[in-house]
Every structure is written in C-alpha cells, then in structure tokens.
Amino acid sequence: MPEFQSKMRYKELVDVYEALTSTTKRLEKTAILAEFLKNTETEILPIVTLLSLGKVFPVWSEKEIGIGLKLLMKAISLVVGVSMDTVEDSVRDNGDIGFAAEALFANRYQSTLFTRPLTIVKVYKNMTKLAEISGKNAQTRKIRILIELLTSASPSEAKYISRTVVEELRVGIGEGTIKDAVSEAFNIEKEVVERALMLTNDPGLVAEVAKAEGEGGLKKLNLIPGKPVKPMLSQLSPGIESSVEEMGAAICETKYDGFRVQIHRRGDEIKVFTRRLDNIVKAVPEIVEYVQKCLPHEDLIVEGEIIATKDGNPISFQYILQRVRRKYEIERLRLEVPLIMYLFDVLYYKKPLIDTPFGERRQVLESIAKVEPSKFELSNQVIVTPENIEDAQKLFESSIKDGHEGIMIKDPLAPYMPGIRGKKMLKLKAEPETLDLVVVGGTYGRGRRANLIGSYLMAAQDEEGNLKTIAHTATGLDDATLLELSNKVESLMIEKKGRKVKARPEIILEIAYSEIVKSPEYESGYSLRFPVVKRIRDDKGIEDIDTVHRIESIFNARN
Ligand code: AMP
C-alpha cells in the first residue's frame, strides 16, 4: 500500500455523508459531492470516491472485507462496554446497524483526550487490512482491527464505519451521481466521464485522472485485460422481421442457455469473470485449459456462454450454477458435469476492440480461436437479410431442437456497448411453456420430398372439446422421426386434395414457439410464431391437448 501523506479527517467525509442524507434531490447530492471531490487531495481521491459509494474496493476486486453483522456487533459491544443483547436490541429498535452504533456510541463513556482523531487514510487502511486477513484466528484478528477503529470514533463516525463494513452505506449515491459529480467538479463533459467509467469500472481511478489530467487524461483511459467490463445487454426482439429490417442485415446466433463469462488474459494470467464481475477462474479449470490451448498467448478479452452437458446434451442451468459456485471437489464435478464454452465476442486482442463493428470483431474471433468440438467453440451463426428471413427461422428451430433457448439477433455494425441494454443486440426466446397440440392435417413437400408430409397442421381444443387449428409446423424433427410421423399421419388420412391432407386427430406433438399472435388465418383466432416440434407425445391422448382458453391466457399475460 502506498504511503499516504494526507491527514484529512474522516469527520469531513462523515459530514458529507450526513449532508447527502439530508436531501433526496439528485442535483443537490451531486453538488455536495462535487464540492467535496474538488477539495480532496488527488492522492486520496480514489479512496474518497469509493468510500462515498460505500465501497472500499472496486466491484471487480477480489478483496472483501468479510465481516458479518454478528462480528461487527461484537466489536461494538466491546468498545461501548455493553452486552451483545443490548447491541442486538438496539439494532432491532433502530432497524439499522448504523443508527444503532450511533445511539450506543452516544452513551459511551469515553475520554476523547487520549484518542487521536480518525483520518480517512486510517479508516481505509484498517478496512483494507480486514480484507487481507484469513486463516487461523481470522475472526479474532479482524475484531481487533475493528476495535482499533471504533475506539477512536465519534458516534456519527461509528455509524458510517459500521455501515461501510457491512456494505450498506444508505446515503443514496450510485455510479450515476459519481459520474455527474466528477463532471461538475472537474469541468469535464459527462459523456467523457461516463465512457471512462464504463471502460474501467473504477470510479476511484476516473476521479483521480479527471482531477490530475482533465478530459484529455480520461479520454486516454481504455479497457485493460484483467479488469472486467460490464457486459452489453440485450432487449427482447419485437419480431424477427422488424428487427432484421431495422438492421438491414443481421447476424443471428444460437442463444445458449448457460452462464455468461468474460475471459481475460494478461500475460500468463487468466481470469474468468461472471456478469456480476466476480472472478470464478478456480471453479472452471477446463475453461482455463481451453483458453491456453485454443487462443493465442496475447493479451485479450473474449466473451461467451458456458453451458453444462450430460451425455452431450445441454442440461439445466442449475448444474452450471453448481459448477461455477463450487469451491471444493472441483475435479470430481468437472468429470460429472463437463462444460462447453461458446465464444461470441472479442473486446480486446492486442488492443481494445470495443469500437470495432461487431461483424469485424467476429472475424477477429474466428481468426484467433482454434475450435475444439464440444469443448471450445464459436457461437453458431447465420447472416440474415429481409430476403432470407427463413434462415433465422431455421436457426431458431435447430437451436430449440438442440436444447438451446432461441436466437440472438445482432447488428453487425454495432460497437460493443458495455452495460447498455440497447437495440443492437436482441433476443428471441422460445416461450418457457410448450403446448401439446394434435395433428389434424398436413402438406406434402415438393421435389425430392414430394412423398413426405413436411408440414403439419396443429389444433388445440375449445371448451366443448371441438378442435381449432392454430399453426403449421414444419420442422424440428430429424429425418427418421419425420419419416415416422409422415407415415403415421398417412395412415390416419381422411382426405387428400393436391398436396394437402386431413388426418384423424390422434397424434399429439409437443410444440415450442417464440410467441403467440392473433391471427384470422386459423380457427382458434391465434397463431404461433416459429413453432418447432419438440417431440412426439405418444404418452398423451386427444383429451390431454391444450385448450384455446389456455392459449388465450398466455397471450393475454404477454400483451
Ligand atoms: P437474457 O439473459 O435472457 O437477457 O439473454 C441475454 C443473455 O443470453 C446474454 O447475457 C448471454 O448470457 C446469453 N447468450 C447466449 N447465447 C448468446 C449469444 N450467442 N450471444 C450473446 N448472448 C448470448
């Protein structure tokens, strides 16, 4: 830790906390904070900025204070000289550890003559020490450090030390206020501050550079492998046609139902961050091995989805959570629940790439990643324009059939926008609930497929048990199953006109789809977007099929 010269009192920060709490107006909060940041020595500006957010370390830091409420209460009881019960009662009465500490400290007998006033550096240093303690007697050593701080604290200082320790500052400051305050304090465009925050995720560094080097300094800040960035987020697609139309040409990708990670490599060090910016590298040793084997030994940041498999098929998200949260027996679990990595973006390769259009980033990814099937792959993708929308539909169908969630629709011209939920990346998912519907007819294919029924007319039942058509579904089946289904429907045929047939309603199919829409085309008044056959339900009879009423209520719930 650097040797700090600053003697700035912790009380000054506490006064700011109190002032911030006294107003709910964002502009006033910004002004208070801006004034304080302006008057803080550059040396401790990073610390003060983090502390004003109620943090000691940036979000991506692996350091944690690691003090539970119980331990803090114990420290308070020892410093104030009251029983644990008294502290517990006070927390209950006040509804907050901060108010409780303040009240208890107000009644403390203390000879302030012999205590030195707390400085910001002292508070920060002790908090940092807390994070460094582990192993034997950790609790005892931690409590000693806390006691040292609290002994010198005034009631209001005790209030904010307590809240900082349990990471609940409650002064109503978020990153947005920090952005505005830094901009106001150092007279820098908000957008420049925002971008610097987005790229570094380090408000302390941003404030320091803003003060020391101004706008020019902030503009020079960029991604650094090893420091995670917030992931770019997606919106729901309002419909494939309009989304593709808006983008002109879109890159559609399989949407894997897994766990998003950002992999950073800097020199020999590899880190794997979750979307909440936690480094889970220890839990996923095979991903590290794949990165070593399949990506060049260069500084880089790539992003992708990890999925878990059993017998080669994707399995529930729960299993991945089991894997990534795991601290022990990782090697055993690794064999039981193998992981597959699907990369879908690159943010840094030798240099930052976030301003490079997505289409070009993908080319970089393809040029650097060596694919290992079923281990380390690139996301499956097709380029879709308004002229070949059916390719998006085919991708959707094959994605669902392979046990994935749906598709992503991405703008090839878009930069990477950390933390932004914009229109440049859209998702189209299958509804979580499938429908069981009965085959009432079908249509023969053309050409080579002329003797195979390729598309099936599906129906649901109304309240009286009458069948009402709702959709044609074409695919989702492998060739053998399609042949089996076609033969079955032929054997139930009651009418044939041209390529169209009607069949006795006996075969039940489980259908996944992206959306229910109103449609005059079908008897039910509804239709399914992107219907995909998940399986033939031999175990179900006509009385088990879904009702128009249920379809209506799913529609109403979504619209
Ligand atoms: P959601 O979590 O439902 O908002 O959907 C967006 C998420 O889908 C992303 O955060 C990723 O975790 C995940 N995802 C799966 N496959 C892809 C892909 N090919 N491209 C981008 N995100 C994907």
Side-chain angles (χ1 to χ4, degrees):
M1 196 181 310
E3 267 320 307
F4 295 100
Q5 305 300 317
S6 169
K7 299 271 179 291
M8 195 170 189
R9 303 266 169 100
Y10 185 57
K11 180 178 182 308
E12 290 190 48
L13 180 58
V14 167
D15 289 344
V16 171
Y17 286 149
E18 292 288 349
L20 289 170
T21 319
S22 70
T23 172
T24 51
K25 296 204 180 78
R26 169 98 182 249
L27 281 180
E28 285 177 18
K29 282 185 193 281
T30 306
I32 295 165
L33 193 59
E35 184 62 22
F36 187 57
L37 294 181
K38 209 155 67 179
N39 296 329
T40 300
E41 298 126 288
T42 315
E43 173 198 43
I44 60 163
L45 198 51
I47 301 176
V48 165
T49 310
L50 284 172
L51 285 177
S52 58
L53 275 164
K55 295 198 166 77
V56 180
F57 311 108
V59 265
W60 43 266
S61 165
E62 275 148 58
K63 291 188 185 155
E64 274 177 18
I65 295 180
I67 298 252
L69 191 58
K70 262 250 136 60
L71 202 63
L72 174 61
M73 292 200 295
K74 180 91 192 148
I76 293 172
S77 88
L78 290 171
V79 174
V80 181
V82 293
S83 69
M84 261 307 256
D85 284 347
T86 311
V87 181
E88 273 168 24
D89 289 346
S90 178
V91 173
R92 198 172 329 108
D93 294 346
N94 287 287
D96 163 75
I97 183 72
F99 286 131
E102 187 173 34
L104 291 164
F105 272 70
N107 291 325
R108 171 170 79 132
Y109 168 75
Q110 182 205 22
S111 161
T112 37
L113 279 179
F114 300 108
T115 57
R116 266 192 291 161
L118 281 176
T119 61
I120 291 175
V121 169
K122 175 73 187 165
V123 172
Y124 174 75
K125 275 190 172 174
N126 275 32
M127 300 256 183
T128 314
K129 274 191 214 156
L130 288 175
E132 281 159 7
I133 294 175
S134 64
K136 224 171 137 211
N137 297 333
Q139 302 287 66
T140 321
R141 281 148 64 209
K142 282 190 176 195
I143 213 164
R144 238 183 261 145
I145 290 171
L146 256 185
I147 288 175
E148 193 203 346
L149 267 191
L150 290 172
T151 305
S152 315
S154 68
S156 55
E157 286 173 339
K159 170 174 165 186
Y160 289 103
I161 289 173
S162 300
R163 286 186 180 170
T164 305
V165 163
V166 294
E167 296 180 61
E168 261 191 71
L169 191 64
R170 302 175 64 171
V171 298
I173 294 283
E175 265 200 19
T177 325
I178 292 281
K179 174 191 74 189
D180 294 350
V182 169
S183 153
E184 193 171 311
F186 309 114
N187 210 2
I188 297 172
E189 292 282 334
K190 271 187 199 167
E191 290 69 33
V192 177
V193 180
E194 186 169 22
R195 186 176 161 82
L197 278 172
M198 174 179 99
L199 292 172
T200 61
N201 257 311
D202 196 340
L205 176 72
V206 170
E208 183 186 14
V209 173
K211 178 161 189 173
E213 299 172 42
E215 192 160 313
L218 283 192
K219 281 187 172 158
K220 276 193 241 139
L221 290 180
N222 215 320
L223 289 188
I224 303 175
K227 276 193 189 179
V229 266
K230 288 187 192 135
M232 177 167 172
L233 301 169
S234 66
Q235 280 185 15
L236 274 178
S237 159
I240 181 82
E241 285 88 359
S242 60
S243 300
V244 170
E245 194 117 328
E246 204 166 299
M247 292 180 193
I251 295 183
C252 293
E253 298 186 0
T254 299
K255 182 177 194 307
Y256 303 94
D257 185 11
F259 195 84
R260 184 173 187 168
V261 292
Q262 211 176 78
I263 301 174
H264 289 233
R265 170 168 209 149
R266 184 166 200 197
D268 286 332
E269 192 176 14
I270 292 169
K271 292 181 182 173
V272 180
F273 292 103
T274 66
R275 3 177 358 153
R276 301 184 58 201
L277 315 185
D278 295 325
N279 182 5
I280 52 156
V281 71
K282 292 204 179 80
V284 290
E286 66 264 60
I287 301 295
V288 174
E289 284 165 24
Y290 301 155
V291 169
Q292 276 159 344
K293 209 165 146 203
C294 305
L295 287 174
H297 197 288
E298 295 282 355
D299 287 1
L300 51 82
I301 304 175
V302 291
E303 203 181 24
E305 193 88 352
I306 294 179
I307 68 165
T309 57
K310 222 164 199 140
D311 308 321
N313 296 314
I315 50 173
S316 151
F317 182 65
Q318 290 310 316
Y319 289 95
I320 313 175
L321 284 189
Q322 237 187 54
R323 277 287 322 258
V324 300
R325 292 205 178 127
R326 199 71 179 200
K327 294 224 166 79
Y328 311 101
E329 288 196 293
I330 287 161
E331 287 304 319
R332 179 176 65 78
L333 228 74
R334 173 181 172 171
L335 295 176
E336 270 174 34
V337 186
L339 301 176
I340 306 181
M341 173 87 234
Y342 287 96
L343 291 184
F344 55 69
D345 215 330
V346 52
L347 283 62
Y348 192 106
Y349 179 64
K350 296 185 187 175
K351 59 176 197 222
L353 293 174
I354 59 168
D355 292 322
T356 306
F358 174 59
E360 288 174 35
R361 297 203 302 277
R362 170 75 186 203
Q363 282 170 7
V364 173
L365 194 59
E366 286 175 11
S367 73
I368 62 172
K370 217 169 70 205
V371 166
E372 285 237 352
S374 298
K375 290 184 172 167
F376 197 74
E377 302 200 27
L378 298 187
S379 58
N380 193 10
Q381 63 168 217
V382 286
I383 295 172
V384 178
T385 64
E387 283 72 50
N388 68 333
I389 289 278
E390 41 328 322
D391 285 348
Q393 169 143 13
K394 277 190 204 133
L395 183 69
F396 183 84
E397 286 160 357
S398 65
S399 299
I400 299 297
K401 199 180 94 191
D402 292 343
H404 305 305
E405 253 192 322
I407 56 173
M408 304 295 297
I409 307 162
K410 302 182 182 181
D411 188 338
L413 301 178
Y416 191 92
M417 294 180 280
I420 306 283
R421 193 180 290 286
K423 286 197 169 154
K424 305 293 180 188
M425 179 159 107
L426 303 166
K427 57 188 169 188
L428 191 73
K429 292 205 254 191
E431 277 285 332
E433 290 168 77
T434 54
L435 294 174
D436 293 326
L437 301 170
V438 67
V439 179
V440 292
T443 312
Y444 279 96
R446 291 179 197 275
R448 222 163 38 83
R449 305 210 144 215
N451 50 12
L452 204 63
I453 301 175
S455 156
Y456 296 86
L457 181 60
M458 309 301 304
Q461 58 179 332
D462 68 10
E463 302 292 87
E464 282 84 44
N466 303 312
L467 297 181
K468 300 284 177 190
T469 56
I470 175 161
H472 278 94
T473 173
T475 44
L477 296 170
D478 56 64
D479 287 352
T481 320
L482 182 62
L483 183 63
E484 180 193 333
L485 184 61
S486 181
N487 289 341
K488 270 191 182 166
V489 174
E490 268 179 347
S491 73
L492 297 170
M493 194 150 64
I494 45 179
E495 193 185 301
K496 183 164 191 273
K497 267 193 202 152
R499 290 166 51 231
K500 287 195 184 326
V501 298
K502 277 191 183 162
R504 264 206 322 273
E506 285 186 17
I507 304 165
I508 318 295
L509 302 180
E510 183 182 338
I511 307 285
Y513 56 94
S514 69
E515 196 190 350
I516 295 171
V517 289
K518 285 217 166 177
S519 161
E521 225 182 294
Y522 293 98
E523 294 156 4
S524 62
Y526 293 96
S527 168
L528 303 180
R529 297 298 323 272
F530 290 11
V532 181
V533 181
K534 284 206 89 168
R535 58 194 81 109
I536 302 178
R537 296 298 303 251
D538 289 328
D539 56 324
K540 293 208 169 182
I542 181 96
E543 60 287 350
D544 299 322
I545 66 170
D546 275 302
T547 59
V548 176
H549 181 69
R550 171 158 187 254
I551 290 161
E552 196 163 28
S553 56
I554 298 178
F555 175 85
N556 288 335
R558 303 284 183 273
N559 291 282

